[in-house]
Amino acid sequence: MASFFCSTKFLLLLILLSAIPIAIIISLESITPTTHYYQFHSTGWFRESSKWDQVNRRFIVSFTDTGGLGVVNVPDDHNPNVVLEEIPVVKNTDAVGNGTCGVFIDRPRNRVIAVFADVFGNTYSAVAAYDLDSWKRLFFTQLSTSGGAKSFADDATVDSEGNTYVTDAKGTQIWKVGVDGQLLSVIKSPLFHAKEWYNDLVTLNGIVYHPNGYLLVAHTITGNLFKVEIKNDNKVTLVNLDNRLTVADGLELLSPNKLVVAGANGVKLVESTDNWLTGSVVGRSSVLTHRIATAATVKDGKVYVNHALGMGYPKKKHVFLEANFS
């Protein structure tokens, strides 16, 4: 048996087996998307989240592998076949060795919120705010350190008063940070936890602030959706869905009654007619599965899916794909 593993036949078999997934990826990459899309080159493999900056006509993307932020400017006459270029604008020295996960544009205050985490070790979490014009850092708040429990700051949103809410995908909690960066409180609930331990390996993920004054937050593995009433002693209720979301990553409100839920297995459109006591999955859109869909953003009334994985060398090419719900 040992001689077989050292033989030419085994080497050829190994090469053949490794070539199969590569061939599949090449085949998938050669297919032209059926909906509108934007391509851009970057220096990193992973871009976890992105948001459309309507005023400045650009995407703002998070650098999950190296930490920091970049912008992708989009000309009005852009041709989808033209690959855009990512321009780095933030490299945060306070978070060296940690990736940037969630990103949120706080338009009323002309700033962007960035979430930092120790992606692999789960020993560090932080959140920062930057001016959208000068990229000057407005605050930097460390949320956890290696001396505490495991944590993973994943996503963020901002309420009408300027408070930031950051989800913890390992600690299963939500940090509340004031408009000037002070850590105000932590929101916890038994409902946030899954019954099975293996479903609680990655917990709270996408989060949005609803204009009616509460939060909507998703549990990654179970796909559970929670309503957090921040003006009612942080009361947490489980949104009763007619269909499991199954792997819920980034969230984006398309309207007060419609919520986009991104996930590696596709993007779903959820609708509620009772102020998010219940919800129904009313649409689904395919994604570039091999690129891993992790977030969504709204540009000119249309939903674009952020795919985390870039392809190519030395420049990595990333894709924003318009969702077509059906």
Side-chain angles (χ1 to χ4, degrees):
M1 181 63 72
S3 60
F4 170 74
F5 289 106
C6 298
S7 67
T8 304
K9 288 183 179 180
F10 175 73
L11 180 60
L12 291 174
L13 178 62
L14 190 63
I15 294 173
L16 177 61
L17 290 176
S18 63
I20 291 174
I22 295 175
I24 293 174
I25 291 175
I26 292 174
S27 176
L28 292 171
E29 282 292 292
S30 65
I31 299 173
T32 302
T34 57
T35 58
H36 193 265
Y37 59 94
Y38 295 94
Q39 306 175 84
F40 69 96
H41 281 141
S42 75
T43 56
W45 292 107
F46 297 102
R47 297 294 179 259
E48 167 75 12
S49 183
S50 64
K51 293 297 178 185
W52 172 248
D53 179 5
Q54 177 66 27
V55 172
N56 297 295
R57 306 296 296 176
R58 62 192 180 184
F59 289 100
I60 299 178
V61 297
S62 64
F63 296 175
T64 318
D65 39 11
T66 60
L69 298 172
V71 298
V72 179
N73 296 307
V74 179
D76 293 336
D77 59 349
H78 174 64
N79 183 331
N81 294 321
V82 175
V83 182
L84 302 169
E85 295 294 328
E86 172 191 271
I87 304 171
V89 291
V90 168
K91 184 177 181 181
N92 202 308
T93 56
D94 295 276
V96 169
N98 298 288
T100 306
C101 299
V103 59
F104 180 84
I105 297 176
D106 181 13
R107 175 52 59 194
R109 295 160 196 84
N110 196 50
R111 62 181 188 172
V112 62
I113 304 296
V115 174
F116 298 91
D118 173 11
V119 177
F120 297 106
N122 305 147
T123 60
Y124 182 94
S125 291
V127 62
Y130 301 89
D131 183 86
L132 275 169
D133 296 323
S134 66
W135 295 105
K136 176 183 177 181
R137 192 174 74 189
L138 305 176
F139 71 73
F140 185 94
T141 304
Q142 192 166 319
L143 302 170
S144 70
T145 64
S146 58
K150 295 285 187 179
S151 71
F152 189 119
D154 194 282
D155 204 358
T157 192
V158 175
D159 67 18
S160 58
E161 298 176 355
N163 299 305
T164 298
Y165 299 84
V166 182
T167 54
D168 184 350
K170 290 297 291 185
T172 320
Q173 59 189 356
I174 302 171
W175 290 287
K176 180 179 180 180
V177 177
V179 66
D180 296 321
Q182 65 275 31
L183 180 59
L184 298 179
S185 62
V186 177
I187 303 172
K188 298 182 178 182
S189 172
L191 292 178
F192 288 156
H193 291 272
K195 294 180 180 179
E196 306 83 3
W197 67 268
Y198 49 84
N199 282 332
D200 239 14
L201 293 175
V202 185
T203 58
L204 302 187
N205 199 318
I207 186 171
V208 294
Y209 173 74
H210 194 279
N212 288 347
Y214 51 82
L215 306 173
L216 293 174
V217 58
H219 187 287
T220 307
I221 298 179
T222 65
N224 286 337
L225 186 66
F226 305 100
K227 178 178 179 179
V228 183
E229 299 178 54
I230 55 178
K231 296 181 180 180
N232 184 22
D233 198 28
N234 295 325
K235 178 184 177 182
V236 177
T237 54
L238 177 67
V239 178
N240 187 7
L241 299 174
D242 66 347
N243 200 335
R244 281 190 64 203
L245 296 177
T246 313
V247 186
D249 203 326
L251 304 181
E252 182 80 352
L253 277 174
L254 185 57
S255 72
N257 297 329
K258 292 184 178 181
L259 178 72
V260 179
V261 183
N265 60 339
V267 179
K268 301 175 182 67
L269 183 63
V270 183
E271 184 176 34
S272 176
T273 57
D274 56 8
N275 206 29
W276 293 100
L277 296 176
T278 64
S280 300
V281 178
V282 296
R284 300 173 185 271
S285 179
S286 59
V287 295
L288 303 177
T289 307
H290 63 294
R291 283 181 174 267
I292 312 174
T294 53
T297 188
V298 177
K299 176 185 180 296
D300 302 328
K302 298 179 180 179
V303 176
Y304 283 85
V305 181
N306 177 94
H307 294 85
L309 185 60
M311 299 283 183
Y313 186 83
K315 286 189 174 182
K316 293 76 179 175
K317 186 171 67 177
H318 294 261
V319 180
F320 298 128
L321 180 68
E322 181 187 347
N324 182 21
F325 294 107
S326 59

